[in-house]
Amino acid sequence: MTRTKDEDRGLPPFSRLRLRDGLGEAIAGLVQRPGRSVLTMLGTVLGVGAFVAVLGLTSSATQQIGNAFTALTATTVTVQDRTPTDPSTTPVLSFPPDADERVQRLNGVAAAGVWWQLPLRSPSVGTRPAPPGESARARSVRLFAASPGALQAARPVVAAGTLYNQFHRGRAEQVCVLGAGAARLLGISRVDNQPVVFINSTPYSVVGIVSDVERLPDLLLGVMIPESTALRAYGPPRDSPARMLIGTDVGAARLIAHQAPLALRPDRPELLTAVPPPDPHGLRDEIDTSLSGLFLVLAGICLVIGAVGIANTTLVAVLERRGEIGLRRALGAGPRHIAAQFLTESTVLGTLGGLAGTAIGIGVVAVVALAQEWTAVINPYTVVVAPAVGSLTGLLAGLYPALRAARVEPLEALRT
Amino acid sequence: MSAPEAPVIRLRGLSRTFPGTVEVHALRPVELDVREGEFLAVVGPSGSGKSTLLNLLGLLDRPTAGTYELGGIDVAGLGERRRTAVRGHLIGFVFQSFQLLPYRTATENVELAQLYVARDARSRRLRAVEALRRVGLEHRLDALPPTMSGGERQRVAIARALVNRPRLLLCDEPTGNLDSRTSEIIMELFEELHRSGQTIVIITHDPAVAARAGRTLVMRDGELGSTAETPA
Ligand SMILES: Nc1ncnc2c1ncn2[C@@H]1O[C@H](COP(=O)(O)OP(=O)(O)O)[C@@H](O)[C@H]1O
Ligand SMILES: [Mg+2]
C-alpha cells in the first residue's frame, strides 16, 4: 500500500475534501450574498419555468383532446350516400334495403343503421290531425327516418316505452320514437296512455321516448320513424343525403370504414363514402409541433442567458474572493478543491433555479388549466428532469470560473 | 521516523531569484537549522527578503536552488499535491492581515483549517473550540470577525494555525496591524506556545517583538546574517 510507504517517509496523506463539506462551503458562499444569488438564478428560473410550462400546457391540451376524443368518437363511423341530391332529378337511395344487416355482419360492428331527414317541406307536426301550421310549438321538431339499427347505434337512453324494432320495420308500421326535446315540445311525457303524433295528418303511435343519445344528438329534437315506413310514405331522401351510423368495437373503426362501402354495395362501392374517426396521433402531433416549438426555443434562450448569468456571477465571485482562495490553499486546499468549491456553488445555484423554475412552471400550468377548465397534466419525468436541467446549466456555467479559481496563485492572492 | 534531535527545518544552499529584465536575488543561498521547539525571529528592513524566506518555508513558493528538509522530509522535491498536503498537515500560518472570512464566526474560521484534512464535523467543532480556548477566546466563539478587535482577530487566526497541531508555526509580521499594547498580548501568547513546545518562526521589523524570541536572525539584502542567540 502506498499509504504505508508514505507514512514510512513521514509524509502526510493527500488533502481531501468531503462531499458534504464541499457542499456546505458552496452553500455558505451563496448565502453570503443572498440578493445576488437570487438575481443570478433568475435566468435559470425563467428558462426552466418556461420549459415546464410549455411541456405541461402541451400535455394538458393534448389530454383535453384525449378527453373529447373519447372511446365513443374513436368507434364511430359514418357512411354517406354520394348520390347528388339534386331536386330536379328523381331521388334515389344508394343504401340497399338490407343495409343494416350487411354491415352488422362485419366483424367489429356493434350496431349500424341508416337514417335521413324526411323529405317534407314545412310539415305540420302535432298531437292532433290539425290543419297545417296550427301547432306553433312543434315547428322546431325535426323528422327523421331511422332504422332500428340506427337508433341502437346512437346509444340511446330510453326514458319511457321502448324503441321500435325489426318487427315494426318489417311491416313498415306507423310508429315513432321521440327525442326528449321533441317530446317536450309536443307535450308528451309518457307512453302508457298511447299518445299519437300526426305528421301532415298521418298518425304515428309513440312507442318510446329517448332522454339522451351518445351519438347523433340531433335525434333528441326529432321524431323518428322506421326507414321502411318513411320510404313507403315519403320516398327516398331528397334535400340531405342518407347516412349510415356505425358503432364499432374499440380499434375496429378504421377497418370497418374501409370495408363498409364494399359490403353495402359490392357492385358500386364508389356510391358511398365512409368517414372514419380522426387519427388521434395526428391531432396530438399537430398541437405538439405548432406553438410549443417556438416556446421551447424561447425557453432554451432563457437557459443560455441563465447560464451566462451564473458564469458571470461566479467569475466575479472568484475575482472578489482571491484572498479567500489563497487562504484555503495555505490551509491545505489543492487546486482541485478550489475548483470543486466554485463548481459546486454554480451547480447549487443552477439547481435552486431549476427547482424554483419547476415550481413556477407547474403553477402556470395549474392556473391556465384552471382557467380553461382543463385537467392539468404534467409528465412526472418533467418534474425530475427540469431541476436537473438547471443543475446542468449551473455545472456548465461554472466550468470556466472554476478553472480560473484553480489557477489562482496562493502567494499572489495572500499578498492583498 | 526522524530522530528527536533532528532539526524541524534544515536549509542547505536554499535561494530564490525572481527572474526579469533585472534579476532580483530576493534570497541568497542560506544555511539554517531550526530545532524542535525553537522560537526564531527574523528581522530586517522592508524588502530584505524576509517574506520570501517565509514563503519558501511554508511551501507557498519554490526555491531557485538548494534543499529544504522539513521534519526529515525533503520537501523541496515534492510534487504540488504532496506540498499541498504538507501545508495542510504540518504547517500553520499567521498573516499580518489576519485573513479571516468575514461571514464566518470565529469557530467556523478555525474549523476551516480542518476542512482539507477531512476531519468529521463533530471533531472539527471540538478542536476549534479547544484552540479558541487556548488563545483566550472562549467567550467569542460565535462572534463574526468584523465585530472583533484586531487583537481578537489575530488570536482567531493563531487558533486556526494551531488547530491541526502543526510541526511548524510560521508568522509574517503578525503584529504589523496591531497597536503596541495588543502586540504585547499577542507576543505573550507566542511565548506561551513556545513554552509548551511549539516550533515558531516569526518575521518582524519590530525589535521589541524580536526580543521575545529565543533566537533572532537579521536579514539584509537577501542575506541571512548575524545569528544572535538570546537566552529564552
Ligand atoms: N513575486 C515577485 N516577483 C519579483 N520580485 C519579488 C517578488 N516577491 C518579492 N520580490 C522582491 O524580492 C525582494 C524581497 O521581498 P520580500 O521578501 O517581500 O521582502 P520583505 O518581506 O523583507 O519586505 C524585494 O526586492 C521584492 O521586490
Ligand atoms: Mg514582507
Side-chain angles (χ1 to χ4, degrees):
Chain A
M1 294 266 290
T2 48
R3 194 180 178 110
T4 349
K5 229 191 241 165
D6 289 350
E7 277 163 8
D8 285 348
R9 289 169 61 199
L11 289 172
F14 286 133
S15 296
R16 274 175 49 211
L17 179 61
R18 291 168 174 235
L19 200 68
R20 262 189 64 187
D21 295 339
L23 202 62
E25 289 301 301
I27 290 171
L30 293 176
V31 205
Q32 274 174 25
R33 294 199 161 78
R36 183 200 283 185
S37 297
V38 167
L39 281 180
T40 307
M41 285 191 310
L42 222 56
T44 318
V45 171
L46 284 179
V48 173
F51 261 123
V52 172
V54 169
L55 293 179
L57 288 177
T58 308
S59 62
S60 297
T62 309
Q63 170 76 16
Q64 242 12 67
I65 290 173
N67 282 351
F69 196 87
T70 54
L72 200 73
T73 328
T75 55
T76 304
V77 175
T78 305
V79 183
Q80 193 169 321
D81 193 340
R82 292 183 73 184
T83 316
T85 48
D86 188 348
S88 58
T89 60
T90 344
V92 284
L93 183 62
S94 302
F95 288 97
D98 60 344
D100 289 20
E101 288 76 10
R102 281 169 179 266
V103 170
Q104 276 163 10
R105 232 178 277 133
L106 296 176
N107 246 335
V109 172
V114 179
W115 66 278
W116 63 84
Q117 255 181 315
L118 290 188
L120 296 175
R121 300 252 159 83
S122 53
S124 102
V125 182
T127 48
R128 273 172 294 156
E134 185 262 351
S135 180
R137 286 181 310 171
R139 261 198 199 144
S140 43
V141 169
R142 301 171 65 180
L143 303 172
F144 295 105
S147 71
L151 287 187
Q152 291 292 353
R155 313 247 307 187
V157 178
V158 179
T162 61
L163 304 177
Y164 48 74
N165 53 32
Q166 295 301 335
F167 172 79
H168 302 106
R169 178 192 178 212
R171 297 168 45 132
E173 297 233 341
Q174 283 178 278
V175 291
C176 69
V177 166
L178 304 181
R184 203 175 320 114
L185 288 169
L186 292 164
I188 297 171
S189 58
R190 31 197 289 219
V191 296
D192 50 358
N193 55 357
Q194 296 171 339
V196 173
V197 170
F198 291 86
I199 300 173
N200 287 346
S201 310
T202 313
Y204 292 87
S205 317
V206 179
V207 295
I209 299 174
V210 164
S211 61
D212 201 6
V213 289
E214 288 182 18
R215 299 187 181 107
L216 272 190
D218 285 0
L219 297 187
L220 289 179
L221 272 176
V223 175
M224 284 73 75
I225 63 174
E227 92 281 19
S228 51
T229 317
L231 266 180
R232 199 183 60 190
Y234 311 107
R238 205 177 325 144
D239 304 322
S240 63
R243 286 160 220 251
M244 174 175 252
L245 177 67
I246 308 175
T248 75
D249 294 343
V250 174
R254 300 188 81 76
L255 182 67
I256 298 297
H258 189 69
Q259 293 174 340
L262 205 66
L264 287 163
R265 289 298 295 266
D267 53 333
R268 298 190 62 189
E270 73 277 5
L271 289 178
L272 302 167
T273 321
V275 183
D279 187 347
H281 301 296
L283 270 180
R284 276 167 209 199
D285 289 351
E286 224 165 85
I287 288 200
D288 281 340
T289 49
S290 55
L291 261 183
S292 56
L294 178 68
F295 276 112
L296 287 180
V297 167
L298 288 179
I301 292 172
C302 281
L303 272 187
V304 170
I305 293 171
V308 171
I310 291 180
N312 193 48
T313 307
T314 310
L315 196 58
V316 168
V318 168
L319 299 177
E320 271 180 359
R321 285 153 66 185
R322 284 166 53 86
E324 176 188 329
I325 295 171
L327 170 72
R328 286 175 187 270
R329 294 293 305 276
L331 294 178
R336 70 190 65 197
H337 304 120
I338 301 297
Q341 182 186 340
F342 284 96
L343 206 55
T344 310
E345 278 193 23
S346 68
T347 307
V348 168
L349 262 185
T351 307
L352 291 178
L355 286 171
T358 306
I360 290 173
I362 290 174
V364 167
V365 173
V367 166
V368 171
L370 210 65
Q372 301 275 343
E373 297 187 348
W374 289 354
T375 316
V377 177
I378 291 174
N379 188 325
Y381 283 122
T382 311
V383 181
V384 178
V385 170
V389 168
S391 309
L392 191 69
T393 307
L395 185 76
L396 292 178
L399 283 177
Y400 176 67
L403 210 68
R404 285 282 300 264
R407 287 208 194 117
V408 169
E409 284 295 327
L411 256 189
E412 295 277 323
L414 284 169
R415 202 165 291 159
T416 46
Chain B
M1 276 290 161
S2 50
E5 311 83 31
V8 178
I9 295 173
R10 182 200 290 267
L11 306 182
R12 291 294 176 265
L14 196 79
S15 67
R16 179 67 163 108
T17 303
F18 291 106
T21 42
V22 184
E23 279 194 348
V24 182
H25 298 280
L27 184 68
R28 297 184 187 272
V30 59
E31 317 283 314
L32 176 66
D33 283 358
V34 178
R35 292 184 308 275
E36 184 92 52
E38 207 178 338
F39 185 179
L40 173 71
V42 177
V43 296
S46 182
S48 57
K50 306 183 297 294
S51 292
T52 302
L53 173 63
L54 199 84
N55 293 335
L56 289 172
L57 292 179
L59 302 186
L60 291 170
D61 193 12
R62 282 179 182 273
T64 309
T67 63
Y68 171 17
E69 278 179 30
L70 174 62
I73 313 162
D74 176 13
V75 290
L78 291 180
E80 188 52 47
R81 210 175 156 203
R82 191 67 78 178
R83 289 160 61 85
T84 298
V86 169
R87 278 204 294 270
H89 285 86
L90 302 183
I91 300 172
F93 291 96
V94 176
F95 305 97
Q96 177 175 353
S97 53
F98 319 134
Q99 300 284 1
L100 300 177
L101 299 189
Y103 296 95
R104 311 287 181 93
T105 65
T107 313
E108 286 166 349
N109 266 286
V110 178
E111 283 181 55
L112 198 69
Q114 308 171 73
L115 213 56
Y116 303 100
V117 301
R119 206 165 279 145
D120 68 86
R122 227 180 73 87
S123 21
R124 278 212 302 267
R125 173 61 51 115
L126 285 175
R127 282 218 193 194
V129 172
E130 183 209 294
L132 283 166
R133 187 172 296 131
R134 199 163 165 200
V135 299
L137 283 180
E138 58 269 36
H139 59 292
R140 298 290 269 157
L141 296 180
D142 295 323
L144 290 170
T147 70
M148 302 176 109
S149 71
E152 282 177 329
R153 287 188 218 184
Q154 195 56 299
R155 280 190 280 165
V156 174
I158 293 168
R160 183 180 62 196
L162 291 174
V163 77
N164 285 338
R165 301 190 187 126
R167 293 284 307 265
L168 180 61
L169 185 60
L170 297 176
C171 317
D172 192 344
E173 308 270 8
T175 59
N177 282 2
L178 303 176
D179 59 51
S180 54
R181 253 206 54 194
T182 314
S183 295
E184 281 283 302
I185 298 170
I186 295 296
M187 288 315 295
E188 271 162 27
L189 181 57
F190 280 128
E191 279 180 325
E192 204 180 302
L193 293 173
H194 168 53
R195 277 196 295 277
S196 69
Q198 179 69 53
T199 312
I200 305 172
V201 176
I202 184 171
I203 280 175
T204 180
H205 59 251
D206 183 347
V209 167
R212 303 265 193 166
R215 179 159 61 127
T216 304
L217 295 178
V218 180
M219 192 94 172
R220 204 160 266 120
D221 292 335
E223 211 120 23
L224 199 57
S226 61
T227 307
E229 193 111 16
T230 48

